[in-house]
Amino acid sequence: NVTAVAPSAAGFLTVFPCGTDQPLASNVNYVAGDIVPNAALAKIGTDGKVCIYTSAEADIVVDVNGFVPLGGSPESLDPARILETRSGPENETVDGQFEGVGRIEAGDTLTLKVAGRGGVPGNADGVFLNVTAVTPGAAGFLTVYPCNAGRPLASNVNYVAGDVVPNVVLAQLSPTGQVCIYSSAASHVVVDVNGYVPEGRTPGTVVPARILETRIGTGLDTVDGLFEGIGRRGAGSTLELTVAGRGGVPAEASAVFLNVTAVAPDAAGFVTVFPCGEDRPNASNVNYFAGDVAPNSVLAKIGDGGKVCLYTLAATDLVVDVAGEVPQPSIKGLVDASAGTGHACALDDEGGVTCWGEYWNGELGVGDIDIPGTNSSLPVTIPDFSATKVEASERFTCAVRTNGSAACWGRNIEGQVGDGTTTERLSPTDVSGLTNVIDVTTGLKHACALRSNGEIWCWGDNGAGQLGDGSNDDSLVPVQVTGLPGGKQATAIDGGREYTCALMDDGTGVCWGRNSNGQLGDPGGTSNTPVVVGGLADAVELEAGQNHTCARIDDGTVECWGRLNDLGNGDQGPGSTSTPETVAGLAGVVDISVGSIATCAALDDGTARCWGQNTSGMVGNGTIGGDPELTPIQVVGIEGDVLKVHVSGNGRFSCATLADTTVVCWGDNSDKELGSLSPGVDPRADSAVPLVVG
């Protein structure tokens, strides 16, 4: 919210990303002595800064109301002028269209093409526009709406004769990419575009609807008759306005885009909009003089009871229209995920990869982004990258590209990126020499890939023989696993902390690497070549942890081996076993995941069961700390059916992919590895119940 205070002459402010040229556009238009606020969707430029140009000397006040995470929606643009009704040498648009078209006459509607102009794609759902009424002939208003809908009872810009009044509008586009602009009085109109809502993304746009009208009189109605004619608001008063479930806003929305207008206030002052249930902030959204009609757009977080609160310093009438909503944060379209030790990644239904959490060594894969003072991030999508599988690990990540090659990124001290170097990689980097890859897995400091011909190749740390090539030598490039059983072919692989396992096409399994607790399924010691998991048959999934390993059997049961108290069969005391034992009471299992100190299973009834340590709430029993859960217990608080489970490599947090194509996570959150932007949730607080990623 950018406010020009007492400028010395008529002019304007332009907000733009530092490091780029100042655009032909404006955000706040003012006359001498004015106090003029306007909302701005501002793209961030060099060094995390925005630049503010003023054509006349003025004081400036800026309040921040929200942010767009890297890779999130809406998409911000360098401001571009797409309508200029005035004629003259400097009254131009970005492409020469809709330039010098003349005033909009009283009661007329102008149809404006938006999609495909000023950086807005042809399939955008909505746009952020800065709409300015210039020297109207009388008092009145502008309404911006999708041309395929009827003109609503709402306004976006309210003006008096001779005014220059800007306001930001979140406008829904018609199927042909147009908006209609109605003016109740003859007026010039200028429109700049600052951002857009990509197809199918948030925020959701709605046809504007009036949800508060304090005045009494004919035509002074709200969309549903609520909060209508309730009377002028007194000086220093706060109104609680219900917004959720009204005017097209879903009941579960987390925030709304409002147009708030102060009408004929008694004295100079301001309106502040804030979530009910929270303290009123030291900020303003609408600034006014006595007798003004002052509008402004507001991105308002919804508070207790689905309400926002409106405080006014001076007595005034208030009018509020809703133009859009922000749903509860989530990322849709996710079909798989992987939890590393301090970060996680998810794969969407178009092959896109989104990661969140710890970002010390480039493990999120989004390049050299600046996350000051945190070294962690909420979800970010890797640009220009698509995959069929993604695996997160200890500060590095690997994936199978859609072209059948393998790529890794992040920490590379032990050569775990596999590109022949030890150089840290901040974005996906091809693993040397691999083609026809169908699966990839990661351990603590090593990785492996399975090719379509059944060959397995591994790279990175090999101190415990986890590369399986018969040596204990680290490798910066892939080396082939030797000694796989003849007459069989590997169909899947999984990396433990310092060992690796492979599922064979006959339902048996082999493992190699560290064997301190029998986790290889063999009574012998550590092995740098594959050994057969003794007694395992009819397996359809094989998952490696740190000190134990588990297999899902084709009858829906689970068998585990290794350190006894990790196996899910209660307190068996110290010791270990290399022989698979069935996890008691666990049936109908459709997916399993094994971490170092926790294990989870997804069941065919849509629930999840976990067991193990619970120091950070990672078993999901609704508590944090206490004694370990040594037998499977149902994860509480998951809203939806669980398809897959994902336990972090260090076992300190867990995730699940749901049937509604969202991912939820619970447990340790010290590096934002739960990936949640849910309202009221501390982005670094551990959680004993699942939180939606997004």
Coordinates of all heavy atoms in Angstrom, one line a residue, residues 381-463:
T381 N 9.4 -23.7 -7.0 CA 9.4 -24.7 -8.2 C 10.7 -24.5 -9.0 O 11.0 -23.3 -9.3 CB 8.2 -24.4 -9.0 OG1 7.0 -24.7 -8.2 CG2 8.1 -25.4 -10.2
I382 N 11.3 -25.6 -9.4 CA 12.5 -25.5 -10.2 C 12.1 -25.1 -11.6 O 11.3 -25.7 -12.3 CB 13.3 -26.8 -10.2 CG1 13.7 -27.2 -8.8 CG2 14.5 -26.8 -11.2 CD1 14.3 -28.6 -8.7
P383 N 12.7 -24.0 -12.1 CA 12.3 -23.5 -13.5 C 12.8 -24.4 -14.6 O 13.9 -24.9 -14.5 CB 12.9 -22.1 -13.5 CG 14.0 -22.1 -12.6 CD 13.7 -23.1 -11.5
D384 N 12.0 -24.6 -15.6 CA 12.4 -25.2 -16.9 C 13.0 -26.6 -16.6 O 14.1 -27.0 -17.1 CB 13.5 -24.4 -17.6 CG 13.0 -23.0 -17.9 OD1 11.8 -22.9 -18.3 OD2 13.7 -22.0 -17.7
F385 N 12.4 -27.4 -15.7 CA 12.8 -28.7 -15.4 C 11.6 -29.6 -15.3 O 10.6 -29.3 -14.6 CB 13.6 -28.7 -14.1 CG 14.2 -30.0 -13.7 CD1 15.3 -30.5 -14.4 CD2 13.7 -30.7 -12.7 CE1 15.8 -31.8 -14.0 CE2 14.2 -32.0 -12.3 CZ 15.3 -32.5 -12.9
S386 N 11.7 -30.8 -15.8 CA 10.7 -31.8 -15.7 C 11.3 -33.2 -15.4 O 12.4 -33.5 -15.9 CB 9.8 -31.9 -16.9 OG 10.5 -32.2 -18.1
A387 N 10.6 -34.0 -14.6 CA 11.1 -35.3 -14.2 C 10.0 -36.3 -14.0 O 8.8 -36.0 -14.1 CB 11.8 -35.1 -12.9
T388 N 10.4 -37.6 -13.9 CA 9.5 -38.7 -13.6 C 9.6 -39.2 -12.2 O 8.8 -40.0 -11.7 CB 9.6 -39.8 -14.6 OG1 11.0 -40.3 -14.6 CG2 9.3 -39.3 -16.0
K389 N 10.7 -38.8 -11.5 CA 11.0 -39.3 -10.2 C 12.0 -38.3 -9.5 O 12.9 -37.7 -10.2 CB 11.7 -40.7 -10.2 CG 12.2 -41.3 -8.9 CD 11.0 -41.8 -8.1 CE 11.5 -42.4 -6.7 NZ 12.2 -43.7 -6.9
V390 N 11.8 -38.0 -8.2 CA 12.6 -37.1 -7.5 C 13.0 -37.7 -6.2 O 12.1 -38.4 -5.5 CB 12.0 -35.7 -7.4 CG1 10.7 -35.8 -6.5 CG2 13.0 -34.7 -6.8
E391 N 14.2 -37.6 -5.7 CA 14.7 -38.2 -4.5 C 15.5 -37.2 -3.7 O 16.5 -36.7 -4.2 CB 15.5 -39.4 -4.7 CG 14.7 -40.7 -5.0 CD 14.1 -41.3 -3.7 OE1 14.9 -41.6 -2.8 OE2 12.9 -41.5 -3.7
A392 N 15.0 -36.8 -2.5 CA 15.7 -35.8 -1.7 C 16.6 -36.6 -0.6 O 16.2 -37.6 -0.2 CB 14.7 -34.9 -0.9
S393 N 17.7 -36.0 -0.3 CA 18.6 -36.6 0.7 C 19.3 -35.6 1.6 O 18.7 -34.6 1.9 CB 19.7 -37.4 -0.1 OG 20.5 -38.2 0.8
E394 N 20.5 -35.9 2.0 CA 21.2 -35.0 2.9 C 21.9 -33.9 2.1 O 22.9 -34.0 1.6 CB 22.3 -35.8 3.7 CG 23.3 -35.0 4.4 CD 22.8 -34.4 5.7 OE1 21.8 -34.9 6.2 OE2 23.5 -33.5 6.3
R395 N 21.1 -32.7 2.0 CA 21.6 -31.5 1.3 C 21.9 -31.7 -0.1 O 22.6 -31.0 -0.7 CB 22.8 -30.9 2.1 CG 22.5 -30.5 3.5 CD 23.6 -29.7 4.1 NE 23.2 -29.2 5.4 CZ 24.0 -28.5 6.3 NH1 25.2 -28.2 5.8 NH2 23.6 -28.2 7.5
F396 N 21.3 -32.8 -0.7 CA 21.4 -32.9 -2.2 C 20.1 -33.6 -2.7 O 19.4 -34.2 -1.9 CB 22.7 -33.6 -2.7 CG 22.7 -35.1 -2.5 CD1 22.5 -35.9 -3.7 CD2 23.0 -35.6 -1.3 CE1 22.6 -37.3 -3.5 CE2 23.1 -37.0 -1.2 CZ 22.9 -37.8 -2.3
T397 N 19.9 -33.5 -3.9 CA 18.6 -34.1 -4.5 C 19.0 -34.7 -5.9 O 19.9 -34.2 -6.6 CB 17.6 -33.0 -4.7 OG1 17.4 -32.3 -3.5 CG2 16.2 -33.6 -5.1
C398 N 18.3 -35.8 -6.3 CA 18.5 -36.4 -7.6 C 17.1 -36.6 -8.2 O 16.1 -36.7 -7.5 CB 19.3 -37.7 -7.5 SG 21.0 -37.5 -7.1
A399 N 17.1 -36.7 -9.5 CA 15.8 -37.0 -10.2 C 16.1 -37.7 -11.5 O 17.2 -37.7 -12.1 CB 15.1 -35.6 -10.5
V400 N 15.1 -38.4 -12.0 CA 15.1 -38.9 -13.4 C 14.4 -37.9 -14.3 O 13.2 -37.6 -14.1 CB 14.3 -40.3 -13.4 CG1 14.3 -40.8 -14.9 CG2 14.9 -41.3 -12.5
R401 N 15.1 -37.4 -15.3 CA 14.6 -36.5 -16.2 C 13.6 -37.2 -17.1 O 13.6 -38.4 -17.3 CB 15.7 -35.8 -17.1 CG 16.5 -34.8 -16.4 CD 17.5 -34.2 -17.4 NE 18.4 -33.3 -16.9 CZ 18.2 -32.0 -16.8 NH1 17.1 -31.4 -17.1 NH2 19.2 -31.2 -16.3
T402 N 12.7 -36.4 -17.7 CA 11.7 -37.0 -18.6 C 12.3 -37.6 -19.9 O 11.7 -38.5 -20.6 CB 10.6 -36.0 -19.0 OG1 11.3 -34.8 -19.5 CG2 9.7 -35.6 -17.9
N403 N 13.6 -37.2 -20.2 CA 14.3 -37.8 -21.3 C 15.1 -39.1 -21.0 O 15.8 -39.6 -21.8 CB 15.2 -36.8 -22.0 CG 16.3 -36.3 -21.1 OD1 16.5 -36.9 -20.0 ND2 17.1 -35.4 -21.5
G404 N 14.9 -39.6 -19.8 CA 15.6 -40.8 -19.4 C 17.0 -40.6 -18.8 O 17.7 -41.6 -18.5
S405 N 17.5 -39.4 -18.7 CA 18.8 -39.2 -18.1 C 18.6 -38.9 -16.6 O 17.4 -38.8 -16.1 CB 19.5 -38.0 -18.7 OG 18.8 -36.8 -18.5
A406 N 19.7 -38.8 -15.8 CA 19.6 -38.5 -14.4 C 20.2 -37.2 -14.1 O 21.2 -36.8 -14.8 CB 20.2 -39.6 -13.6
A407 N 19.7 -36.5 -13.2 CA 20.3 -35.2 -12.8 C 20.3 -35.1 -11.3 O 19.4 -35.6 -10.6 CB 19.4 -34.0 -13.4
C408 N 21.3 -34.4 -10.7 CA 21.4 -34.2 -9.3 C 21.8 -32.7 -9.1 O 22.4 -32.1 -10.0 CB 22.4 -35.1 -8.6 SG 22.0 -36.9 -8.7
W409 N 21.6 -32.3 -7.8 CA 22.0 -30.9 -7.5 C 22.2 -30.8 -6.0 O 21.7 -31.6 -5.2 CB 21.0 -29.9 -8.0 CG 19.6 -30.1 -7.5 CD1 19.0 -29.5 -6.4 CD2 18.6 -30.9 -8.2 NE1 17.7 -30.0 -6.4 CE2 17.4 -30.8 -7.4 CE3 18.6 -31.7 -9.3 CZ2 16.2 -31.5 -7.7 CZ3 17.4 -32.4 -9.6 CH2 16.3 -32.3 -8.9
G410 N 23.0 -29.8 -5.5 CA 23.2 -29.6 -4.1 C 24.6 -29.9 -3.7 O 25.6 -29.7 -4.5
R411 N 24.7 -30.4 -2.5 CA 26.1 -30.7 -1.9 C 26.8 -31.8 -2.8 O 26.1 -32.7 -3.3 CB 25.9 -31.2 -0.5 CG 27.2 -31.5 0.2 CD 26.9 -31.8 1.7 NE 28.2 -32.1 2.4 CZ 28.3 -32.2 3.7 NH1 27.2 -32.1 4.4 NH2 29.4 -32.4 4.3
N412 N 28.1 -31.6 -3.0 CA 28.8 -32.5 -3.9 C 30.2 -32.8 -3.4 O 31.1 -33.1 -4.1 CB 28.9 -31.8 -5.3 CG 29.2 -32.8 -6.4 OD1 29.0 -34.0 -6.2 ND2 29.8 -32.3 -7.4
I413 N 30.4 -32.7 -2.0 CA 31.8 -32.9 -1.5 C 32.3 -34.3 -1.8 O 33.5 -34.5 -2.0 CB 31.8 -32.6 0.0 CG1 31.5 -31.1 0.3 CG2 33.1 -33.0 0.7 CD1 31.3 -30.8 1.8
E414 N 31.4 -35.3 -1.7 CA 31.7 -36.7 -1.9 C 31.4 -37.1 -3.4 O 31.5 -38.3 -3.7 CB 31.0 -37.6 -0.9 CG 31.5 -37.5 0.5 CD 30.9 -36.3 1.2 OE1 29.9 -35.7 0.7 OE2 31.3 -35.9 2.3
G415 N 31.1 -36.2 -4.2 CA 30.8 -36.6 -5.6 C 29.4 -37.1 -5.8 O 29.1 -37.7 -6.8
Q416 N 28.5 -36.8 -4.9 CA 27.1 -37.3 -4.9 C 26.3 -36.7 -6.1 O 25.2 -37.3 -6.4 CB 26.4 -37.2 -3.6 CG 26.3 -35.8 -3.0 CD 27.5 -35.6 -2.0 OE1 28.6 -35.6 -2.3 NE2 27.1 -35.4 -0.7
V417 N 26.7 -35.7 -6.7 CA 26.0 -35.2 -7.9 C 26.3 -36.0 -9.1 O 25.5 -36.1 -10.0 CB 26.4 -33.7 -8.1 CG1 25.8 -33.2 -9.5 CG2 25.8 -32.8 -7.0
G418 N 27.5 -36.7 -9.1 CA 27.8 -37.6 -10.2 C 28.2 -37.0 -11.5 O 28.2 -37.6 -12.5
D419 N 28.7 -35.7 -11.4 CA 29.1 -35.1 -12.7 C 30.6 -35.0 -12.9 O 31.1 -34.3 -13.7 CB 28.6 -33.6 -12.7 CG 29.2 -32.7 -11.6 OD1 29.7 -33.3 -10.7 OD2 29.1 -31.5 -11.8
G420 N 31.4 -35.8 -12.1 CA 32.8 -35.9 -12.2 C 33.5 -34.8 -11.5 O 34.8 -34.7 -11.6
T421 N 32.8 -34.0 -10.7 CA 33.5 -33.0 -9.9 C 33.0 -33.0 -8.4 O 32.2 -33.8 -8.1 CB 33.1 -31.6 -10.4 OG1 31.7 -31.2 -10.0 CG2 33.1 -31.5 -12.0
T422 N 33.6 -32.2 -7.6 CA 33.1 -32.0 -6.2 C 32.6 -30.6 -6.1 O 32.5 -30.0 -5.0 CB 34.3 -32.2 -5.2 OG1 35.4 -31.3 -5.5 CG2 34.7 -33.7 -5.3
T423 N 32.1 -30.0 -7.2 CA 31.6 -28.6 -7.2 C 30.1 -28.6 -6.8 O 29.3 -29.3 -7.3 CB 31.8 -27.9 -8.5 OG1 33.1 -28.0 -8.9 CG2 31.3 -26.5 -8.5
E424 N 29.8 -27.8 -5.8 CA 28.4 -27.6 -5.4 C 27.6 -27.2 -6.6 O 28.0 -26.3 -7.3 CB 28.3 -26.6 -4.2 CG 26.9 -26.4 -3.7 CD 27.0 -25.4 -2.5 OE1 27.3 -25.9 -1.4 OE2 26.8 -24.2 -2.7
R425 N 26.4 -27.8 -6.8 CA 25.5 -27.5 -7.9 C 24.2 -26.9 -7.4 O 23.5 -27.5 -6.6 CB 25.3 -28.7 -8.8 CG 26.5 -29.3 -9.3 CD 27.3 -28.4 -10.2 NE 28.4 -29.0 -10.9 CZ 29.3 -28.4 -11.7 NH1 29.2 -27.1 -11.9 NH2 30.3 -29.0 -12.2
L426 N 23.9 -25.7 -7.8 CA 22.7 -25.0 -7.4 C 21.4 -25.3 -8.2 O 20.3 -24.9 -7.8 CB 22.9 -23.5 -7.3 CG 24.2 -23.0 -6.5 CD1 24.3 -21.5 -6.6 CD2 24.1 -23.5 -5.1
S427 N 21.6 -25.9 -9.3 CA 20.5 -26.3 -10.2 C 20.7 -27.7 -10.8 O 21.9 -28.2 -10.7 CB 20.3 -25.2 -11.3 OG 21.5 -25.1 -12.0
P428 N 19.7 -28.3 -11.3 CA 19.9 -29.7 -11.8 C 21.1 -29.8 -12.8 O 21.2 -29.0 -13.8 CB 18.6 -30.0 -12.5 CG 17.6 -29.1 -11.8 CD 18.3 -27.9 -11.4
T429 N 21.9 -30.8 -12.6 CA 23.1 -31.0 -13.3 C 23.1 -32.5 -13.8 O 22.9 -33.4 -12.9 CB 24.4 -30.7 -12.5 OG1 24.3 -29.4 -12.1 CG2 25.6 -31.0 -13.3
D430 N 23.4 -32.8 -15.0 CA 23.3 -34.1 -15.5 C 24.4 -35.0 -14.9 O 25.5 -34.6 -14.7 CB 23.5 -34.2 -17.0 CG 22.3 -33.7 -17.8 OD1 21.2 -33.8 -17.2 OD2 22.4 -33.3 -19.0
V431 N 24.0 -36.2 -14.5 CA 24.9 -37.3 -14.0 C 25.6 -37.8 -15.2 O 25.0 -38.1 -16.3 CB 24.1 -38.4 -13.3 CG1 25.1 -39.5 -12.9 CG2 23.4 -37.8 -12.1
S432 N 26.9 -38.0 -15.1 CA 27.7 -38.4 -16.3 C 27.3 -39.7 -16.9 O 27.3 -40.7 -16.1 CB 29.2 -38.4 -15.9 OG 29.7 -37.2 -15.5
G433 N 27.1 -39.7 -18.2 CA 27.0 -41.0 -18.9 C 25.8 -41.9 -18.8 O 25.8 -43.0 -19.2
L434 N 24.8 -41.4 -18.1 CA 23.6 -42.3 -17.9 C 22.5 -42.0 -18.8 O 22.1 -40.8 -19.0 CB 23.1 -42.2 -16.4 CG 24.0 -42.8 -15.3 CD1 23.3 -42.6 -14.0 CD2 24.3 -44.2 -15.6
T435 N 21.9 -43.0 -19.4 CA 20.7 -43.0 -20.3 C 19.8 -44.1 -19.9 O 20.1 -45.0 -19.2 CB 21.1 -43.1 -21.8 OG1 21.8 -44.4 -22.0 CG2 22.1 -42.0 -22.2
N436 N 18.5 -43.9 -20.4 CA 17.5 -45.0 -20.2 C 17.3 -45.3 -18.7 O 17.1 -46.4 -18.3 CB 17.8 -46.3 -20.9 CG 18.0 -46.0 -22.4 OD1 17.1 -45.3 -23.0 ND2 19.0 -46.6 -23.1
V437 N 17.4 -44.2 -17.9 CA 17.2 -44.4 -16.4 C 15.7 -44.4 -16.1 O 14.9 -43.6 -16.6 CB 17.8 -43.2 -15.7 CG1 17.6 -43.3 -14.2 CG2 19.3 -43.2 -16.0
I438 N 15.3 -45.4 -15.3 CA 13.9 -45.5 -14.9 C 13.7 -45.3 -13.4 O 12.5 -45.2 -13.0 CB 13.3 -46.9 -15.3 CG1 14.1 -48.0 -14.6 CG2 13.3 -47.1 -16.8 CD1 13.5 -49.4 -14.9
D439 N 14.7 -45.3 -12.6 CA 14.6 -45.1 -11.2 C 15.9 -44.5 -10.6 O 17.0 -44.7 -11.2 CB 14.3 -46.4 -10.4 CG 13.7 -46.2 -9.0 OD1 13.4 -45.0 -8.7 OD2 13.6 -47.2 -8.3
V440 N 15.8 -43.7 -9.6 CA 16.9 -43.1 -9.0 C 16.7 -43.1 -7.5 O 15.5 -43.0 -7.0 CB 17.2 -41.7 -9.5 CG1 16.1 -40.7 -9.0 CG2 18.5 -41.2 -9.0
T441 N 17.8 -43.3 -6.7 CA 17.6 -43.3 -5.2 C 18.8 -42.6 -4.6 O 19.9 -42.5 -5.3 CB 17.5 -44.7 -4.7 OG1 17.1 -44.6 -3.3 CG2 18.8 -45.5 -4.9
T442 N 18.7 -42.1 -3.4 CA 19.8 -41.4 -2.7 C 20.0 -42.0 -1.3 O 19.0 -42.5 -0.6 CB 19.5 -39.9 -2.6 OG1 18.2 -39.8 -1.9 CG2 19.5 -39.3 -3.9
G443 N 21.3 -42.1 -0.9 CA 21.6 -42.4 0.5 C 22.1 -41.1 1.2 O 21.8 -40.0 0.7
L444 N 22.8 -41.3 2.3 CA 23.3 -40.1 3.0 C 24.2 -39.3 2.1 O 24.1 -38.1 2.0 CB 24.1 -40.6 4.2 CG 24.7 -39.4 5.1 CD1 23.6 -38.6 5.7 CD2 25.6 -40.0 6.2
K445 N 25.2 -39.9 1.4 CA 26.2 -39.2 0.6 C 26.4 -39.9 -0.7 O 27.5 -39.8 -1.3 CB 27.5 -39.0 1.4 CG 27.4 -38.3 2.7 CD 28.7 -38.2 3.4 CE 28.6 -37.5 4.8 NZ 29.9 -37.5 5.5
H446 N 25.5 -40.8 -1.1 CA 25.7 -41.5 -2.4 C 24.3 -41.6 -3.1 O 23.3 -41.2 -2.5 CB 26.2 -42.9 -2.2 CG 25.2 -43.9 -1.7 ND1 24.7 -43.9 -0.4 CD2 24.6 -45.0 -2.3 CE1 23.9 -44.9 -0.3 NE2 23.8 -45.6 -1.4
A447 N 24.4 -41.9 -4.4 CA 23.1 -42.1 -5.1 C 23.3 -43.2 -6.1 O 24.4 -43.6 -6.5 CB 22.8 -40.8 -5.9
C448 N 22.2 -43.8 -6.6 CA 22.2 -44.9 -7.5 C 21.1 -44.6 -8.6 O 20.1 -44.0 -8.3 CB 22.0 -46.2 -6.9 SG 23.3 -46.7 -5.7
A449 N 21.3 -45.2 -9.7 CA 20.3 -45.2 -10.8 C 20.0 -46.6 -11.4 O 21.0 -47.3 -11.5 CB 20.7 -44.2 -11.9
L450 N 18.8 -46.9 -11.7 CA 18.4 -48.1 -12.3 C 18.1 -47.8 -13.8 O 17.3 -47.0 -14.1 CB 17.2 -48.7 -11.6 CG 16.6 -50.0 -12.2 CD1 17.5 -51.1 -12.3 CD2 15.3 -50.3 -11.5
R451 N 18.7 -48.6 -14.7 CA 18.5 -48.4 -16.1 C 17.4 -49.4 -16.6 O 17.2 -50.4 -15.9 CB 19.8 -48.6 -16.9 CG 20.8 -47.6 -16.5 CD 22.1 -47.7 -17.4 NE 21.8 -47.4 -18.8 CZ 22.5 -47.7 -19.8 NH1 23.6 -48.5 -19.6 NH2 22.2 -47.4 -21.0
S452 N 16.8 -49.2 -17.7 CA 15.8 -50.1 -18.2 C 16.2 -51.5 -18.5 O 15.4 -52.4 -18.5 CB 15.1 -49.4 -19.5 OG 16.1 -49.3 -20.5
N453 N 17.5 -51.7 -18.7 CA 18.0 -53.1 -18.9 C 18.4 -53.8 -17.6 O 18.9 -54.9 -17.6 CB 19.3 -53.0 -19.8 CG 20.4 -52.2 -19.2 OD1 20.3 -51.7 -18.1 ND2 21.5 -52.1 -19.9
G454 N 18.0 -53.2 -16.5 CA 18.3 -53.8 -15.2 C 19.6 -53.5 -14.5 O 19.9 -53.9 -13.4
E455 N 20.5 -52.8 -15.3 CA 21.8 -52.4 -14.7 C 21.5 -51.3 -13.6 O 20.7 -50.5 -13.7 CB 22.7 -51.8 -15.7 CG 23.1 -52.8 -16.8 CD 24.0 -52.1 -17.9 OE1 24.1 -50.9 -17.8 OE2 24.5 -52.8 -18.7
I456 N 22.4 -51.4 -12.6 CA 22.4 -50.4 -11.5 C 23.7 -49.7 -11.4 O 24.8 -50.4 -11.4 CB 22.0 -51.0 -10.1 CG1 20.7 -51.7 -10.2 CG2 22.0 -50.0 -9.0 CD1 20.4 -52.6 -8.9
W457 N 23.7 -48.4 -11.4 CA 25.0 -47.6 -11.4 C 24.9 -46.7 -10.2 O 23.9 -46.0 -9.9 CB 25.1 -46.8 -12.7 CG 25.3 -47.7 -13.9 CD1 24.4 -48.4 -14.6 CD2 26.6 -47.8 -14.6 NE1 25.0 -49.1 -15.6 CE2 26.3 -48.7 -15.7 CE3 27.9 -47.3 -14.5 CZ2 27.3 -49.1 -16.6 CZ3 28.8 -47.7 -15.4 CH2 28.6 -48.6 -16.4
C458 N 26.0 -46.6 -9.5 CA 26.0 -45.7 -8.2 C 27.2 -44.8 -8.2 O 28.2 -45.1 -8.9 CB 26.1 -46.6 -7.0 SG 24.6 -47.7 -6.8
W459 N 27.2 -43.7 -7.4 CA 28.3 -42.8 -7.4 C 28.2 -42.1 -6.0 O 27.2 -42.1 -5.3 CB 28.2 -41.7 -8.5 CG 26.8 -41.0 -8.5 CD1 26.6 -39.8 -8.0 CD2 25.6 -41.4 -9.2 NE1 25.3 -39.4 -8.2 CE2 24.7 -40.4 -9.0 CE3 25.3 -42.6 -9.9 CZ2 23.4 -40.5 -9.4 CZ3 24.0 -42.7 -10.3 CH2 23.0 -41.7 -10.1
G460 N 29.4 -41.5 -5.6 CA 29.5 -40.7 -4.4 C 30.3 -41.5 -3.4 O 31.3 -42.2 -3.7
D461 N 29.9 -41.3 -2.1 CA 30.7 -41.9 -1.0 C 30.5 -43.5 -1.0 O 29.5 -44.0 -1.3 CB 30.1 -41.4 0.3 CG 30.7 -42.0 1.6 OD1 32.0 -42.2 1.5 OD2 30.0 -42.3 2.5
N462 N 31.7 -44.2 -0.8 CA 31.7 -45.6 -0.8 C 32.4 -46.2 0.3 O 32.9 -47.4 0.3 CB 32.3 -46.1 -2.1 CG 32.0 -47.5 -2.5 OD1 31.0 -48.0 -2.1 ND2 32.9 -48.2 -3.2
G463 N 32.4 -45.5 1.5 CA 33.2 -46.0 2.6 C 32.7 -47.3 3.2 O 33.5 -48.0 3.8

